[in-house]
Amino acid sequence: LAAPGVPALTLANFGRWQVETTDLTELDVALVAEGAPVTVRVDALPEAELSGMVTAVALVPNLTRGDVAYTVTIDLQETADLPLRWGMTTFVDIATQ
């Protein structure tokens, strides 16, 4: 049985990875543009440094711990054979103008 509004299924494509930020504040969001290069480090894999690109910057904020924060979506380019999993903590450095 499925209740209204409750996901019944999650589909995943593990051939391509994305990272979504949760803490880009309103003070910094104006500096981030689609297409900007990104360096990503995964907390669980300290030896790996991944490259990516900003593919979307949210127009509507979320309230996070009392701060106005915007979600930024990043496509990772080369993930090789890293043992990545959903929900892993990442550290993101976005090249700004």
Side-chain angles (χ1 to χ4, degrees), residues 3-37:
V6 176
L9 176 71
T10 301
L11 295 176
N13 176 0
F14 294 108
R16 183 173 153 228
W17 287 93
Q18 288 185 327
V19 172
E20 288 185 352
T21 66
T22 58
D23 59 355
L24 182 69
T25 67
E26 62 186 319
L27 300 174
D28 296 323
V29 71
L31 302 173
V32 176
E34 288 184 18

Side-chain angles (χ1 to χ4, degrees), residues 1 3 15 24 30 32 35 46-48 58-59 61 64 76 78-79 81 85 93:
L1 297 174
L24 182 69
V32 176
E47 72 286 349
L59 297 174
T64 305
L76 296 180
E78 289 291 325
T79 56
D81 293 327
R85 302 287 185 267
D93 292 318

